[in-house]
Amino acid sequence: RRLVKELELKGYTVLPDPEAPLPTSFEDVTRIVEEALAPAKAAVHILGGRPGFRPDGKDALEIVPFQLLRARERASAEPSSA
């Protein structure tokens, strides 16, 4: 919680909202993650010791690996600024 407050005080947006519970369905989790990544210029993922919960759905990844995969896919699709 302290890290979230520090980031917000420095003007960063933390998404998905750490205070809001994530949905349990794969479709809803996908929508939330995509909505969070859409406006982002960068994505920083704070990792813990566990991969998080597994949304309901066939072959769904745990939430942390899923978010990392979507962020990587999105970054790969963006034109390089180099």
Side-chain angles (χ1 to χ4, degrees):
R1 305 266 182 250
R2 190 176 100 200
L3 179 57
V4 169
K5 285 210 176 287
E6 287 179 28
L7 289 169
E8 290 174 338
L9 285 172
K10 292 184 186 267
Y12 294 100
T13 303
V14 177
L15 294 171
D17 179 355
E19 298 297 320
L22 286 171
T24 58
S25 80
F26 178 73
E27 293 79 16
D28 290 340
V29 166
T30 299
R31 180 182 49 77
I32 297 249
V33 169
E34 294 295 334
E35 287 174 358
L37 289 171
K41 292 186 172 125
V44 176
H45 300 267
I46 310 302
L47 304 177
R50 295 186 213 149
F53 75 97
R54 183 182 301 267
D56 299 334
K58 185 179 187 302
D59 301 325
L61 292 171
E62 287 91 354
I63 189 66
V64 172
F66 177 72
Q67 288 176 325
L68 293 171
L69 175 66
R70 289 297 191 173
R72 184 178 70 215
E73 291 171 347
R74 210 168 150 66
S76 295
E78 292 291 319
S80 176
S81 60

